[in-house]
Amino acid sequence: MSWMPFKIGQPKKQIVSKTVERDFEREYEKLQKLEDQTKKLHKDMKKSTEADIAMSKAAVKISGDLLSNPLCEQDQAFLDSMTALDTAMKRMDSFNQEKVNQISKTVIDPLKKYSGVFPSLNMAVKRREQALQDYRRLQSKVEKYEEKEKTGPIMVKLHQAREELRPVREDFEAKNKQLLDEMPKFYHSRIDYFQPSFEALIRAQVVYFTEMHKIFSELTDQIDQAGMTDEQRERENEAKLNELRALSIVADD
Amino acid sequence: TANTIPTTIKYLMDFHPAKCSEEPLHLSGCSNESVFEEEPAEDAAKEKAEREAQKQLMATEELVYTEKNYLRLLQVCTSTIRSNLQALQLPNLDSMFLYTEEVIDVSGRLLSLLDQKQVTPRDPLFVETLCDAFLSLSTDIESAYKEYLANYSNVSALENVYKQKESLWTEIIKVIKSSAPEVNATSLTFFLVMPVQRIARYPLHFQTIMKHTDPGHPVYPLLENTAHTAIALNCRINEYKRFREVADKYKKTETLTIRDKMNRLNSHSIAKKTARLSQFIRHETGISPKIVDEEFDALEGFFYLLEDGIATLHDNVEIYLHHLQRFLSCRPEEFDLDMDGEKPAICYKEITTALRQWILPTYEKRMRLLVHKPLCGLRDLLVGPRNLIRKRLDKLLDYERIEEKPSLTYDDQEVANTYKTINTLLLNELPKFNGLALSLLWGMLGAFSSLHKDLAEDMEQLFQGFAQQLPHSSLEPKAFWEWAECSVLEGAERLERLCQDVEEQLNAPIVQPLSPGSQKRLKVLSDKHGSEKIYQLTGPVVGTRDLELSLNKGELVSVISEMDTRGDRRRWLVDAGGPRGYVPSSKLVHYQPVTMDMPPQLTATTTDRAEGFRRHSYTPDIRPRPSDMPRTQPVFAGYDFMARSNHEVSLRAGEPVKVIEPHDKKGSRDWSLVEVRGQRGYVPSNYLVAMPTTTMATSPYH
């Protein structure tokens, strides 16, 4: 076999300058942070969307269950109000679904895809590291032979070692250069990539809340007593509850 | 680097809709080289602290710069633009500027408080001064902004009136552009919306400063307090806005009809003689009382429906609130992907922060107060009537039995009276109970609707501040979504290409010369299995189970099956030139032996090779044979060789040999006749190494 598992120490010649190494680490760190953020953002967006959908469905259930209770039919005006409420909730739910679909397509999916690139990049960085280790090892080997007496067998071994080293060095240099080029480019690409997502997130919500405003302004005019502040509503609720409490049938024996 | 204004501040100062294309500021470039030498841990912490201090400074400076710019623009609008507009004789022009003075005043006072203390953002005491100034002015800020925001809808409505007359509007725009040429404004509301935006930004500013401040720092509690005050300000200002709206609306008359309808429920009896409700009772209790009181049955039926409805509503409301809390617990706006001051990202962050920090929490609070709390109260009151109704039924059954008796005892009389009392009580009071409960429900649902309306209104107001800043906000919905989806697709394609590039270029296996042993293995495997299924080990493997092979890094194998007998694709069955067994597929990479027809690119220089065609291997056939080189080149044995017949001679790696004939008796150049250690014999030609005269590789093949 052409590999012997030598455990040789560090080569004397400085293979990679400190500056280059530092630059590399810095760029890689940025990417790692971006990877972390992308994953977390994806997770959080999914969770938030799920809660959003659940909330909307819960609102539909509130009005739906009420409307299906025969209670409503006992008073025509009340029935009209409940029907209007139910219609409004269902409409809002369908707008919500639309919003969620748009966000899925323009935000959540792109996030996931973006995360999917990192394993390849991480692997490439690992391979570069491996190449660097191999390079160091073979460089040490060459240096070791270079220091020895120049006998025939040593010369042969030195020649072989140099032959082994060359492709490994070239490979490392190619990988290193590529990554040093690609990493900042990729990091910068996030801006163009995600700009549409952020705009879409905002736009989807603008549409949703505009509809909500329209629908509930209408509904509130229809079923709500106007001119009530929160305090007044509270007082009215309390007054009614007190009236109920005053009934003899309410006191529990 | 502290002298250059960071990208984010620059964009805010210029209010430029064009995208900033400057490179992000590399803060880590500020520290000097020595940080990276010895003792990395200690210096890393120091470096981090420096970075945080830098960011805190940036955030503080941003607050001040943006406040100054905001004030300046408002002043331009209310003095220069306003006076220039007088000439156009616009109706109601003054009402556009109704509360601008107060807002300008309070902003000016904030800035002058900072100036008075004669500290700059770089001063360590600045943050403290800033917080104190803000807190001392918070009451005035609240009163100025609440009037302004409550009135703002009138401002935008009035501008829409102006927009109706095209010629007038064109004139207005001309005035605006000439009065403030450096600002790219296309409407009055461009300026007049700024207070709406500004008040909502204070919490974000203070929180950003907080984020980069050490919690142990003495100024931290003050900062926290200021951030909370800023949020509370926004809540109260919104509340006031609603209060004003409600007060205005009260003047309408049609709203009283709903109140009437609700009041009707209280006084008139809902007891209707419907057969369905009576059936309901019979079904529920399984008992058919002899004494049928239709009126009571109806009341009772209604009560049970009410009970059911309230219980269901209560559960549904709690589920709703639970999901609302779950939604609030997510904070996607915190993972901003470091978007370097891109407007859409910033707008999104501000909008979502406002939504999660005070708009939705206010909504939740009001939901609990006006819907959940009364609902719980109502539900608790159901117990009494329910128990009493059951009691009545029991007494009724007792009553039925004694009714048949000719004469009633004293005890019987008691039973009869009890029943009659309960019955009468329920008959009298149940209608009121039912009516009031229903009217309470109605009120709650009305509030539910109204809360939604307020939530939507708050969000719309929030969006107004950002509408002009987004690049594609002017696109119609259909066009916008087309653009968005298209961009997303393009982005995905670019990503895929990048992925492919990375896979191909960076993960290509290394060019390595093959040892004779490997060459032999290669030949054996190619003959046996063909040359397409040859793989190389990227690392050593050690077999732990039966049928698992132990191999060294770099060994060549042929893949027989890409899965094991159980279908596991992580273990492949391979032939290692004799022994067969399983190795992990993760350690295998495809090996492509290159053929003899190598294009001349092989002789290209090293730099070309890095970018262009990458060889995956080369066979020694292409290397110069010692027999091809001039005889004067010294030749050595490159590897050990064991002679297997009389015609062959053994070699020890490194010993010098003399080549007698570079071919065998049949003319094949695979074998050479050599003399070594006084013996003659044939050895494989590729086991020989020719050393160039200098130790550097100078032959054209390198």
Side-chain angles (χ1 to χ4, degrees):
Chain A
M1 299 303 114
S2 47
W3 276 269
M4 294 294 272
F6 277 105
K7 294 284 182 217
I8 297 184
Q10 292 302 307
K12 297 216 172 108
K13 172 175 125 185
Q14 173 80 307
I15 293 183
V16 181
S17 78
K18 277 215 172 102
T19 327
V20 169
E21 197 58 37
R22 193 183 65 202
D23 283 347
F24 191 91
E25 265 171 35
R26 189 172 60 200
E27 291 301 318
Y28 189 47
E29 245 178 60
K30 277 182 8 197
L31 282 181
Q32 284 176 313
K33 189 167 150 225
L34 183 62
E35 180 180 7
D36 185 54
Q37 287 223 322
T38 317
K39 282 211 180 93
K40 288 198 174 129
L41 180 59
H42 180 240
K43 198 163 149 223
D44 228 35
M45 282 249 94
K46 269 178 74 179
K47 194 168 152 217
S48 162
T49 308
E50 272 166 25
D52 195 354
I53 295 175
M55 220 168 93
S56 193
K57 298 269 179 257
V60 169
K61 190 158 193 289
I62 285 176
S63 61
D65 283 348
L66 267 174
L67 193 58
S68 62
N69 190 322
L71 191 68
C72 291
E73 296 156 27
Q74 301 309 307
D75 183 273
Q76 187 59 40
F78 188 68
L79 177 63
D80 290 340
S81 291
M82 292 303 107
T83 312
L85 179 71
D86 190 53
T87 312
M89 289 302 173
K90 288 196 175 110
R91 284 179 68 200
M92 273 327 296
D93 190 45
S94 83
F95 280 118
N96 197 45
Q97 198 55 58
E98 210 180 288
K99 173 185 85 174
V100 161
N101 287 344
Q102 283 162 341
I103 291 182
S104 246
K105 262 191 281 184
T106 53
V107 182
I108 298 189
D109 283 347
L111 266 172
K112 183 150 178 230
K113 287 211 174 85
Y114 202 76
S115 293
V117 176
F118 288 103
S120 304
L121 277 173
N122 288 335
M123 179 62 85
V125 169
K126 246 199 226 152
R127 291 261 165 94
R128 174 215 176 250
E129 185 59 33
Q130 274 171 5
L132 182 59
Q133 299 303 342
D134 286 343
Y135 183 11
R136 284 209 170 103
R137 182 173 49 82
L138 293 177
Q139 177 70 22
S140 275
K141 197 162 141 193
V142 165
E143 283 170 4
K144 183 184 109 174
Y145 285 130
E146 273 172 350
E147 284 167 15
K148 290 199 171 154
E149 247 190 84
K150 301 229 178 313
T151 66
I154 296 294
M155 291 308 290
V156 168
K157 288 219 164 80
L158 175 61
H159 173 74
Q160 281 175 352
R162 285 214 184 101
E163 286 294 293
E164 247 189 293
L165 173 65
R166 189 170 28 88
V168 169
R169 182 187 62 231
E170 282 165 9
D171 181 65
F172 167 76
E173 280 167 359
K175 284 184 157 83
N176 193 47
K177 178 175 187 295
Q178 210 102 41
L179 278 173
L180 277 176
D181 279 343
E182 295 286 344
M183 288 202 292
K185 267 196 243 164
F186 179 68
Y187 185 74
H188 186 75
S189 78
R190 79 199 181 292
I191 296 190
D192 283 339
Y193 185 83
F194 284 117
Q195 170 141 335
S197 301
F198 281 111
E199 271 199 71
L201 262 176
I202 298 175
R203 183 73 173 236
Q205 289 188 75
V206 169
V207 167
Y208 176 72
F209 283 108
T210 310
E211 288 304 323
M212 189 189 271
H213 192 202
K214 266 193 260 167
I215 291 176
F216 283 97
S217 294
E218 240 179 74
L219 183 67
T220 308
D221 283 343
Q222 197 183 338
I223 77 170
D224 190 36
Q225 303 177 61
M228 299 262 275
T229 64
D230 282 7
E231 258 179 20
Q232 284 171 323
R233 284 188 208 264
E234 253 195 293
R235 265 186 271 135
E236 203 175 280
N237 284 338
E238 206 50 36
K240 286 186 186 158
L241 283 170
N242 283 337
E243 245 188 281
L244 284 171
R245 287 181 190 118
L247 293 173
S248 319
I249 63 175
V250 168
D252 189 19
D253 289 343
Chain B
T1 46
N3 292 324
T4 50
I5 298 175
T7 312
T8 42
I9 293 185
K10 220 167 175 221
Y11 115 78
L12 282 171
M13 278 175 69
D14 299 344
F15 277 87
H16 219 283
K19 193 166 84 169
C20 287
S21 53
E22 290 166 24
E23 283 298 303
L25 186 68
H26 279 299
L27 289 173
S28 52
C30 301
S31 351
N32 43 19
E33 302 270 315
S34 62
V35 173
F36 294 96
E37 283 168 11
E38 309 82 51
E39 286 135 39
E42 205 182 278
D43 283 346
K46 209 174 80 172
E47 194 191 313
K48 185 160 188 280
E50 274 175 31
R51 275 209 293 267
E52 287 299 292
Q54 186 77 5
K55 285 190 182 159
Q56 190 207 53
L57 176 63
M58 261 172 74
T60 315
E61 282 176 336
E62 195 173 320
L63 198 162
V64 177
Y65 278 125
T66 49
E67 186 79 25
K68 285 187 178 157
N69 202 45
Y70 158 71
L71 180 61
R72 178 179 68 86
L73 287 170
L74 270 186
Q75 282 167 333
V76 160
C77 179
T78 54
S79 47
T80 320
I81 296 183
R82 183 178 183 172
S83 55
N84 291 346
L85 282 175
Q86 303 283 18
L88 292 177
Q89 295 197 324
L90 298 162
N92 278 336
L93 183 62
D94 287 338
S95 64
M96 280 287 238
F97 299 91
L98 210 43
Y99 294 102
T100 51
E101 277 311 308
E102 288 86 339
V103 163
I104 288 177
D105 175 64
V106 80
S107 174
R109 278 161 62 197
L110 178 65
L111 286 171
S112 72
L113 268 179
L114 295 176
D115 282 340
Q116 270 171 29
K117 301 277 178 184
Q118 299 198 321
V119 283
T120 63
R122 301 188 156 279
D123 248 294
L125 284 177
F126 187 77
V127 174
E128 194 183 321
T129 315
L130 177 63
C131 293
D132 284 338
F134 188 85
L135 285 172
S136 71
L137 283 174
S138 64
T139 328
D140 291 345
I141 290 177
E142 189 176 333
S143 32
Y145 278 87
K146 80 179 182 192
E147 295 299 335
Y148 193 91
L149 260 72
N151 185 53
Y152 184 72
S153 53
N154 295 338
V155 168
S156 53
L158 185 56
E159 186 175 77
N160 282 338
V161 167
Y162 293 160
K163 276 187 185 162
Q164 299 301 324
K165 302 187 202 141
E166 228 181 280
S167 53
L168 186 63
W169 185 245
T170 329
E171 290 299 306
I172 294 178
I173 304 233
K174 261 198 231 158
V175 170
I176 294 175
K177 284 207 193 285
S178 62
S179 313
E182 78 283 6
V183 179
N184 197 9
T186 49
S187 62
L188 279 170
T189 47
F190 177 89
F191 297 93
L192 294 171
V193 83
M194 287 182 190
V196 177
Q197 258 177 300
R198 187 72 196 155
I199 189 71
R201 277 229 179 99
Y202 286 126
L204 203 68
H205 276 305
F206 284 109
Q207 280 173 341
T208 311
I209 299 178
M210 246 170 82
K211 188 166 143 196
H212 299 298
T213 310
D214 180 17
H217 195 283
V219 84
Y220 193 82
L222 182 61
L223 254 180
E224 213 175 15
N225 188 20
T226 315
H228 283 161
T229 307
I231 293 180
L233 269 181
N234 275 280
C235 286
R236 286 198 296 268
I237 288 173
N238 277 6
E239 214 179 297
Y240 177 75
K241 187 180 69 114
R242 274 193 286 278
F243 180 81
R244 281 281 301 273
E245 261 173 30
V246 150
D248 290 342
K249 248 195 167 171
Y250 204 176
K251 296 165 195 163
K252 291 196 192 155
T253 49
E254 63 180 300
T255 59
L256 297 173
T257 40
I258 297 178
R259 177 159 267 179
D260 283 344
K261 288 175 190 170
M262 281 202 203
N263 287 336
R264 247 190 334 118
L265 286 174
N266 290 352
S267 46
H268 104 127
S269 168
I270 311 178
K272 290 199 171 116
K273 296 180 184 357
T274 59
R276 190 156 46 119
L277 286 174
S278 318
Q279 274 294 71
F280 191 83
I281 312 296
R282 289 206 180 109
H283 193 268
E284 281 289 301
T285 59
I287 298 170
S288 201
K290 284 189 209 150
I291 299 179
V292 173
D293 184 346
E294 279 185 12
E295 193 190 340
F296 185 83
D297 289 348
L299 281 173
E300 188 185 13
F302 191 91
F303 176 80
Y304 283 135
L305 291 177
L306 196 60
E307 195 182 14
D308 189 46
I310 289 173
T312 311
L313 182 61
H314 176 263
D315 292 343
N316 286 344
V317 167
E318 290 209 326
I319 292 174
Y320 179 82
L321 287 171
H322 164 75
H323 290 305
L324 175 55
Q325 277 178 329
R326 266 182 62 209
F327 184 83
L328 279 171
S329 72
C330 302
R331 288 180 195 285
E333 68 274 11
E334 278 180 12
F335 311 112
D336 56 11
L337 306 181
D338 205 13
M339 291 284 280
D340 281 351
E342 286 293 308
K343 289 240 179 111
I346 290 191
C347 291
Y348 169 72
K349 187 167 187 172
E350 292 196 12
I351 289 170
T352 315
T353 307
L355 175 67
R356 279 197 162 78
Q357 296 220 333
W358 70 84
I359 296 184
L360 262 185
T362 307
Y363 172 78
E364 188 195 355
K365 207 176 78 174
R366 294 175 79 206
M367 268 293 287
R368 288 189 187 275
L369 186 67
L370 301 176
V371 179
H372 187 252
K373 187 168 149 220
L375 193 53
C376 288
L378 182 57
R379 194 178 62 144
D380 291 341
L381 300 180
L382 294 168
V383 177
R386 180 174 61 227
N387 289 345
L388 207 58
I389 289 173
R390 279 207 197 116
K391 219 186 205 176
R392 174 202 165 270
L393 186 60
D394 293 340
K395 299 297 172 192
L396 175 58
L397 297 175
D398 293 342
Y399 182 64
E400 280 169 354
R401 266 178 286 144
I402 62 169
E403 230 194 350
E404 293 162 347
K405 287 186 187 174
S407 66
L408 300 166
T409 65
Y410 182 70
D411 288 333
D412 295 335
Q413 211 53 319
E414 278 285 313
V415 169
N417 285 340
T418 314
Y419 162 73
K420 286 187 188 145
T421 313
I422 296 179
N423 193 51
T424 314
L425 192 59
L426 284 168
L427 273 176
N428 283 343
E429 293 195 338
L430 262 182
K432 191 155 187 221
F433 185 93
N434 289 343
L436 266 174
L438 197 61
S439 118
L440 255 174
L441 279 181
W442 198 338
M444 279 181 237
L445 295 163
F448 190 48
S449 170
S450 177
L451 294 181
H452 273 90
K453 183 185 91 160
D454 290 342
L455 170 66
E457 232 174 60
D458 285 349
M459 288 304 286
E460 278 203 323
Q461 176 181 286
L462 183 67
F463 288 134
Q464 266 176 349
F466 299 99
Q468 287 167 334
Q469 293 179 42
L470 295 175
H472 296 90
S473 59
S474 50
L475 284 180
E476 284 299 308
K478 190 150 170 274
F480 177 83
W481 290 110
E482 259 171 39
W483 165 80
E485 282 171 33
C486 213
S487 304
V488 160
L489 265 170
E490 276 171 31
E493 274 165 28
R494 276 197 298 264
L495 266 189
E496 238 193 87
R497 275 200 299 270
L498 173 71
C499 244
Q500 270 172 5
D501 284 348
V502 169
E503 297 274 334
E504 280 169 12
Q505 294 173 21
L506 296 176
N507 292 334
I510 306 172
V511 175
Q512 273 286 354
L514 286 183
S515 68
S518 286
Q519 289 168 45
K520 264 210 198 122
R521 168 85 66 89
L522 178 62
K523 189 167 191 324
V524 161
L525 292 176
S526 306
D527 289 346
K528 222 163 128 200
H529 303 283
S531 54
E532 283 85 38
K533 294 212 135 223
I534 301 198
Y535 282 73
Q536 191 171 35
L537 271 293
T538 57
V541 294
V542 174
T544 51
R545 289 151 51 179
D546 275 352
L547 298 177
E548 281 184 9
L549 295 178
S550 296
L551 300 171
N552 290 328
K553 175 176 172 182
E555 283 198 51
L556 293 173
V557 298
S558 265
V559 168
I560 297 172
S561 165
E562 288 182 14
M563 61 170 114
D564 68 7
T565 49
R566 288 198 212 131
D568 185 353
R569 297 195 87 89
R570 295 166 302 171
R571 302 169 80 219
W572 289 4
L573 179 63
V574 303
D575 178 353
R580 286 189 176 203
Y582 290 104
V583 296
S585 61
S586 56
K587 291 272 173 114
L588 291 173
V589 73
H590 193 240
Y591 185 85
Q592 273 164 346
V594 158
T595 61
M596 281 293 284
D597 333 320
M598 285 285 281
Q601 281 169 322
L602 240 194
T603 57
T605 60
T606 359
T607 47
D608 282 9
R609 194 181 283 157
E611 278 159 50
F613 171 74
R614 289 198 69 173
R615 307 176 295 167
H616 289 250
S617 78
Y618 60 88
T619 69
D621 290 330
I622 298 173
R623 275 171 47 185
R625 297 196 193 195
S627 20
D628 300 334
M629 308 281 276
R631 294 282 174 98
T632 49
Q633 290 264 358
V635 177
F636 296 84
Y639 311 94
D640 288 348
F641 174 69
M642 183 78 84
R644 291 164 305 183
S645 74
N646 290 342
H647 305 287
E648 297 168 9
V649 66
S650 295
L651 292 177
R652 275 206 300 272
E655 50 181 0
V657 305
K658 182 173 169 194
V659 176
I660 315 275
E661 302 247 317
H663 54 83
D664 69 8
K665 289 230 158 59
K666 291 189 199 141
S668 161
R669 297 188 86 91
D670 286 344
W671 293 87
S672 295
L673 180 61
V674 303
E675 188 176 305
V676 59
R677 298 187 308 277
Q679 295 176 313
R680 280 195 182 194
Y682 287 98
V683 297
S685 300
N686 55 10
Y687 273 59
L688 300 172
V689 169
M691 291 301 297
T693 40
T694 65
T695 51
M696 288 298 187
T698 51
S699 92
Y701 283 86
H702 291 287

